[in-house]
Protein backbone atom coordinates (compact mmCIF):
# COMPACT_ATOMS: atom_id res chain seq x y z
CA UNK A 1 0.00 0.00 0.00
CA UNK A 2 1.28 3.51 -0.74
CA UNK A 3 2.43 5.49 2.28
CA UNK A 4 0.50 8.48 3.52
CA UNK A 5 2.22 11.86 3.13
CA UNK A 6 4.92 12.40 5.72
CA UNK A 7 3.89 14.50 8.72
CA UNK A 8 5.27 18.01 8.98
CA UNK A 9 7.60 19.29 11.68
CA UNK A 10 6.04 21.02 14.69
CA UNK A 11 5.47 24.69 13.97
CA UNK A 12 8.37 25.99 16.06
CA UNK A 13 10.79 23.45 14.56
CA UNK A 14 9.57 24.23 11.05
CA UNK A 15 10.09 27.96 11.58
CA UNK A 16 13.63 27.45 12.88
CA UNK A 17 14.58 25.13 10.02
CA UNK A 18 13.08 27.48 7.44
CA UNK A 19 15.25 30.31 8.74
CA UNK A 20 18.34 28.09 8.54
CA UNK A 21 17.36 26.84 5.09
CA UNK A 22 16.93 30.38 3.79
CA UNK A 23 20.50 31.15 4.88
CA UNK A 24 21.83 28.04 3.15
CA UNK A 25 19.88 28.55 -0.09
CA UNK A 26 21.12 32.13 -0.37
CA UNK A 27 24.66 30.84 -0.90
CA UNK A 28 23.81 29.28 -4.26
CA UNK A 29 22.76 30.79 -7.62
CA UNK A 30 20.44 27.79 -8.18
CA UNK A 31 18.39 26.81 -5.15
CA UNK A 32 18.47 23.07 -5.89
CA UNK A 33 22.26 23.17 -5.39
CA UNK A 34 21.51 23.60 -1.68
CA UNK A 35 20.03 20.09 -1.40
CA UNK A 36 23.14 18.41 0.03
CA UNK A 37 23.62 20.87 2.92
CA UNK A 38 19.87 20.90 3.57
CA UNK A 39 19.91 17.12 3.97
CA UNK A 40 22.64 17.59 6.57
CA UNK A 41 20.46 20.24 8.21
CA UNK A 42 17.43 17.96 8.61
CA UNK A 43 19.75 15.15 9.71
CA UNK A 44 21.05 17.40 12.49
CA UNK A 45 17.47 17.72 13.74
CA UNK A 46 16.57 14.05 14.12
CA UNK A 47 19.84 12.18 13.68
CA UNK A 48 18.86 10.76 10.30
CA UNK A 49 16.98 11.80 7.18
CA UNK A 50 13.32 11.08 7.91
CA UNK A 51 10.37 11.23 5.52
CA UNK A 52 9.51 14.52 7.20
CA UNK A 53 13.00 15.81 6.42
CA UNK A 54 12.66 14.74 2.79
CA UNK A 55 9.31 16.54 2.57
CA UNK A 56 10.82 19.69 4.08
CA UNK A 57 13.73 19.75 1.61
CA UNK A 58 11.39 19.17 -1.31
CA UNK A 59 9.04 21.98 -0.28
CA UNK A 60 11.68 24.65 0.35
CA UNK A 61 13.56 23.83 -2.87
CA UNK A 62 10.58 23.27 -5.15
CA UNK A 63 11.54 19.65 -5.83
CA UNK A 64 9.61 16.41 -5.68
CA UNK A 65 10.11 14.04 -2.77
CA UNK A 66 11.33 11.48 -5.32
CA UNK A 67 14.13 13.83 -6.40
CA UNK A 68 15.18 14.44 -2.80
CA UNK A 69 15.00 10.75 -1.95
CA UNK A 70 17.16 9.87 -4.95
CA UNK A 71 19.96 12.04 -3.55
CA UNK A 72 19.48 11.07 0.10
CA UNK A 73 19.73 7.35 -0.72
CA UNK A 74 22.76 7.75 -3.02
CA UNK A 75 25.20 9.10 -0.44
CA UNK A 76 26.19 6.97 2.56
CA UNK A 77 26.74 10.05 4.73
CA UNK A 78 22.96 10.42 5.03
CA UNK A 79 21.41 8.01 7.51
CA UNK A 80 18.09 6.44 6.62
CA UNK A 81 17.23 5.17 10.09
CA UNK A 82 17.84 6.05 13.74
CA UNK A 83 21.50 5.84 14.69
CA UNK A 84 23.81 6.47 17.61
CA UNK A 85 25.35 9.62 19.00
CA UNK A 86 28.69 8.39 17.64
CA UNK A 87 29.13 6.82 14.23
CA UNK A 88 32.16 4.54 14.58
CA UNK A 89 33.43 3.59 11.15
CA UNK A 90 36.26 1.08 10.77
CA UNK A 91 38.07 1.26 7.44
CA UNK A 92 38.24 -2.24 5.96
CA UNK A 93 39.65 -1.19 2.61
CA UNK A 94 42.78 -2.91 1.37
CA UNK A 95 45.62 -1.35 3.36
CA UNK A 96 43.69 -0.77 6.57
CA UNK A 97 42.35 -4.33 6.39
CA UNK A 98 45.83 -5.81 5.96
CA UNK A 99 47.20 -3.67 8.80
CA UNK A 100 44.48 -4.75 11.22
CA UNK A 101 41.20 -3.08 10.22
CA UNK A 102 39.40 -6.37 9.71
CA UNK A 103 40.51 -7.61 13.12
CA UNK A 104 39.40 -4.32 14.73
CA UNK A 105 35.97 -4.47 13.11
CA UNK A 106 35.49 -8.11 14.09
CA UNK A 107 36.53 -7.39 17.68
CA UNK A 108 34.23 -4.35 18.00
CA UNK A 109 31.26 -6.35 16.73
CA UNK A 110 31.84 -8.91 19.45
CA UNK A 111 32.58 -6.33 22.14
CA UNK A 112 29.54 -4.13 21.38
CA UNK A 113 27.21 -6.97 20.48
CA UNK A 114 26.13 -5.37 17.20
CA UNK A 115 26.56 -6.06 13.51
CA UNK A 116 27.42 -3.78 10.63
CA UNK A 117 25.20 -0.69 10.63
CA UNK A 118 23.62 -1.55 13.96
CA UNK A 119 23.37 0.57 17.11
CA UNK A 120 24.06 -0.37 20.71
CA UNK A 121 21.06 -0.59 23.04
CA UNK A 122 22.08 2.58 24.88
CA UNK A 123 21.93 4.54 21.61
CA UNK A 124 25.54 5.66 21.91
CA UNK A 125 27.38 3.78 19.16
CA UNK A 126 26.53 2.86 15.59
CA UNK A 127 29.19 0.57 14.15
CA UNK A 128 29.93 0.18 10.46
CA UNK A 129 32.74 -0.78 8.17
CA UNK A 130 33.53 1.94 5.68
CA UNK A 131 35.51 2.51 2.53
CA UNK A 132 38.83 4.31 2.19
CA UNK A 133 39.24 7.46 4.28
CA UNK A 134 42.26 8.66 2.27
CA UNK A 135 44.45 8.19 5.35
CA UNK A 136 46.32 5.06 4.28
CA UNK A 137 49.58 6.38 5.73
CA UNK A 138 47.99 6.03 9.18
CA UNK A 139 46.43 2.60 8.69
CA UNK A 140 44.43 1.14 10.27
CA UNK A 141 42.08 4.10 10.67
CA UNK A 142 38.84 4.38 12.60
CA UNK A 143 36.60 7.42 12.18
CA UNK A 144 34.13 8.70 14.75
CA UNK A 145 31.64 11.24 13.37
CA UNK A 146 34.17 11.82 10.54
CA UNK A 147 37.09 12.62 12.86
CA UNK A 148 40.29 10.59 12.52
CA UNK A 149 41.58 8.02 14.98
CA UNK A 150 44.82 6.89 13.36
CA UNK A 151 47.06 3.86 13.86
CA UNK A 152 44.48 1.93 15.82
CA UNK A 153 44.69 -1.49 17.40
CA UNK A 154 42.00 -3.78 18.73
CA UNK A 155 42.86 -2.60 22.25
CA UNK A 156 42.87 1.14 21.49
CA UNK A 157 39.62 0.96 19.48
CA UNK A 158 37.90 -1.05 22.20
CA UNK A 159 39.04 1.42 24.85
CA UNK A 160 37.79 4.31 22.70
CA UNK A 161 34.24 2.97 22.27
CA UNK A 162 34.08 2.17 26.00
CA UNK A 163 35.06 5.76 26.80
CA UNK A 164 32.39 7.09 24.43
CA UNK A 165 29.70 4.97 26.07
CA UNK A 166 30.77 6.08 29.55
CA UNK A 167 30.82 9.77 28.61
CA UNK A 168 34.55 10.19 29.05
CA UNK A 169 36.45 12.69 26.89
CA UNK A 170 37.84 11.17 23.71
CA UNK A 171 40.30 13.12 21.59
CA UNK A 172 40.77 12.41 17.87
CA UNK A 173 44.31 11.84 16.62
CA UNK A 174 44.01 15.04 14.60
CA UNK A 175 41.30 17.49 13.70
CA UNK A 176 38.57 19.16 15.70
CA UNK A 177 37.40 17.92 19.10
CA UNK A 178 34.74 15.24 18.95
CA UNK A 179 31.06 16.18 19.07
CA UNK A 180 27.82 14.25 18.59
CA UNK A 181 26.60 13.12 15.19
CA UNK A 182 23.79 15.70 15.19
CA UNK A 183 26.29 18.48 15.93
CA UNK A 184 28.56 17.21 13.19
CA UNK A 185 25.66 17.21 10.73
CA UNK A 186 24.92 20.87 11.46
CA UNK A 187 28.56 21.81 10.82
CA UNK A 188 28.43 19.88 7.52
CA UNK A 189 25.31 21.87 6.64
CA UNK A 190 27.58 24.91 6.60
CA UNK A 191 27.00 26.48 10.00
CA UNK A 192 29.95 27.57 12.16
CA UNK A 193 31.24 25.32 14.89
CA UNK A 194 30.75 27.59 17.87
CA UNK A 195 32.76 25.48 20.32
CA UNK A 196 35.80 27.40 21.61
CA UNK A 197 38.95 26.38 19.75
CA UNK A 198 37.20 23.89 17.47
CA UNK A 199 37.99 25.70 14.22
CA UNK A 200 41.62 26.34 15.16
CA UNK A 201 42.01 22.64 16.01
CA UNK A 202 41.05 21.62 12.50
CA UNK A 203 44.69 20.90 11.74
CA UNK A 204 46.25 19.86 8.45
CA UNK A 205 48.15 16.96 6.96
CA UNK A 206 50.25 15.00 9.43
CA UNK A 207 53.96 14.22 9.16
CA UNK A 208 53.47 10.86 7.46
CA UNK A 209 51.35 12.49 4.74
CA UNK A 210 54.02 15.08 3.97
CA UNK A 211 57.07 12.79 3.66
CA UNK A 212 56.84 12.53 -0.14
CA UNK A 213 56.33 16.27 -0.56
CA UNK A 214 59.36 17.09 1.58
CA UNK A 215 61.56 14.67 -0.32
CA UNK A 216 60.34 16.12 -3.63
CA UNK A 217 61.32 19.59 -2.42
CA UNK A 218 64.82 18.36 -1.65
CA UNK A 219 64.50 18.46 2.09
CA UNK A 220 66.29 15.96 4.28
CA UNK A 221 64.47 12.70 4.79
CA UNK A 222 62.57 12.81 8.08
CA UNK A 223 62.95 10.26 10.81
CA UNK A 224 60.77 7.23 10.96
CA UNK A 225 57.14 8.17 11.55
CA UNK A 226 55.58 5.95 14.19
CA UNK A 227 52.47 7.14 15.99
CA UNK A 228 52.56 6.54 19.75
CA UNK A 229 50.11 3.96 20.99
CA UNK A 230 50.55 4.34 24.71
CA UNK A 231 52.24 6.43 27.35
CA UNK A 232 55.07 3.89 27.38
CA UNK A 233 55.91 4.33 23.70
CA UNK A 234 59.59 5.39 23.36
CA UNK A 235 60.39 8.84 21.98
CA UNK A 236 63.48 10.63 20.72
CA UNK A 237 66.72 8.71 20.31
CA UNK A 238 65.29 5.80 22.26
CA UNK A 239 62.51 5.52 19.69
CA UNK A 240 65.05 5.37 16.84
CA UNK A 241 66.88 2.56 18.58
CA UNK A 242 63.70 0.59 19.19
CA UNK A 243 61.89 1.46 15.97
CA UNK A 244 60.28 -1.54 14.28
CA UNK A 245 61.59 -2.67 10.94
CA UNK A 246 58.18 -2.15 9.36
CA UNK A 247 57.59 1.60 8.64
CA UNK A 248 54.17 1.66 10.22
CA UNK A 249 52.73 1.55 13.69
CA UNK A 250 52.57 -2.23 13.36
CA UNK A 251 55.61 -4.48 13.21
CA UNK A 252 53.96 -6.44 10.42
CA UNK A 253 50.63 -6.70 8.63
CA UNK A 254 47.93 -8.22 10.78
CA UNK A 255 45.95 -11.38 10.18
CA UNK A 256 42.83 -10.54 8.20
CA UNK A 257 39.35 -11.91 8.64
CA UNK A 258 36.06 -11.42 6.85
CA UNK A 259 34.85 -7.86 7.40
CA UNK A 260 31.26 -8.94 7.11
CA UNK A 261 30.56 -12.69 7.01
CA UNK A 262 27.14 -12.01 5.48
CA UNK A 263 28.70 -10.19 2.52
CA UNK A 264 32.02 -11.97 1.78
CA UNK A 265 34.41 -10.44 -0.66
CA UNK A 266 35.79 -12.21 -3.70
CA UNK A 267 34.14 -14.12 -6.55
CA UNK A 268 31.09 -16.16 -5.68
CA UNK A 269 30.80 -18.00 -9.02
CA UNK A 270 33.18 -19.81 -11.27
CA UNK A 271 34.97 -17.72 -13.84
CA UNK A 272 32.87 -17.19 -16.93
CA UNK A 273 29.50 -17.72 -15.26
Amino acid sequence: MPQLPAPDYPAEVRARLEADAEEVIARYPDSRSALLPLLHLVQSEEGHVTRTGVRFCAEVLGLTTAEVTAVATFYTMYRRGPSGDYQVGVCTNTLCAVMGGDAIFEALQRHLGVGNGETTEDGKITLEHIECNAACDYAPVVMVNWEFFDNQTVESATRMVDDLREGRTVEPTRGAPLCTFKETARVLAGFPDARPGAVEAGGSAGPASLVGLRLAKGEAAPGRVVSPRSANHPVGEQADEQAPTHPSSHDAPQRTSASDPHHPSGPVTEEGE
Side-chain angles (χ1 to χ4, degrees):
M1 295 293 292
Q3 290 182 310
L4 295 173
D8 200 357
Y9 288 116
E12 67 277 9
V13 175
R14 173 88 187 199
R16 173 166 48 79
L17 290 178
E18 283 181 341
D20 288 340
E22 183 178 355
E23 181 179 337
V24 172
I25 294 170
R27 301 170 188 160
Y28 300 91
D30 186 340
S31 63
R32 69 180 298 148
S33 298
L35 177 54
L36 294 181
L38 286 188
L39 285 169
H40 283 299
L41 176 64
V42 297
Q43 187 161 247
S44 72
E45 186 66 33
E46 298 179 88
H48 66 289
V49 178
T50 63
R51 294 176 59 236
T52 297
V54 169
R55 171 185 168 179
F56 173 82
C57 291
E59 290 177 352
V60 299
L61 295 176
L63 302 174
T64 65
T65 55
E67 289 174 308
V68 176
T69 301
V71 174
T73 56
F74 181 82
Y75 294 103
T76 57
M77 58 191 175
Y78 300 121
R79 310 295 173 183
R80 300 178 63 187
S83 55
D85 294 333
Y86 300 99
Q87 308 284 328
V88 176
V90 182
C91 181
T92 56
N93 221 276
T94 307
L95 186 57
C96 279
V98 170
M99 299 304 293
D102 276 336
I104 291 172
F105 184 68
E106 187 179 70
L108 290 183
Q109 287 185 100
R110 292 195 305 268
H111 182 69
L112 296 172
V114 297
N116 182 44
E118 295 180 353
T119 303
T120 55
E121 292 183 359
D122 58 10
K124 293 290 187 179
I125 304 288
T126 296
L127 179 68
E128 61 180 351
H129 67 76
I130 54 181
E131 295 300 313
C132 183
N133 291 308
C136 304
D137 39 0
Y138 292 102
V141 173
V142 175
M143 296 197 84
V144 181
N145 295 349
W146 311 120
E147 298 295 348
F148 286 101
F149 289 78
D150 302 318
N151 297 304
Q152 292 296 292
T153 63
V154 169
E155 294 75 21
S156 65
T158 301
R159 184 169 58 249
M160 179 260 291
V161 296
D162 284 345
D163 287 343
L164 289 174
R165 298 183 77 181
E166 294 298 326
R168 292 188 285 266
T169 300
V170 174
E171 295 291 342
T173 307
R174 50 200 163 102
L178 203 59
C179 58
T180 67
F181 182 68
K182 288 183 179 180
E183 292 170 326
T184 300
R186 183 167 177 82
V187 173
L188 291 175
F191 294 93
D193 190 336
R195 295 175 297 157
V199 175
E200 293 77 7
S204 59
S209 306
L210 299 175
V211 170
L213 175 62
R214 289 172 177 166
L215 290 174
K217 294 170 69 174
E219 299 178 10
R224 185 181 299 276
V225 178
V226 180
S227 179
R229 296 246 179 162
S230 69
N232 297 323
H233 194 283
V235 296
E237 295 181 0
Q238 186 182 4
D240 293 334
E241 295 172 2
Q242 300 181 21
T245 56
H246 193 277
S248 176
S249 52
H250 290 291
D251 291 344
Q254 305 296 295
R255 177 187 65 80
T256 61
S257 60
S259 301
D260 187 345
H262 301 294
H263 299 87
S265 60
V268 294
T269 59
E270 295 295 329
E271 185 175 356
E273 291 187 12

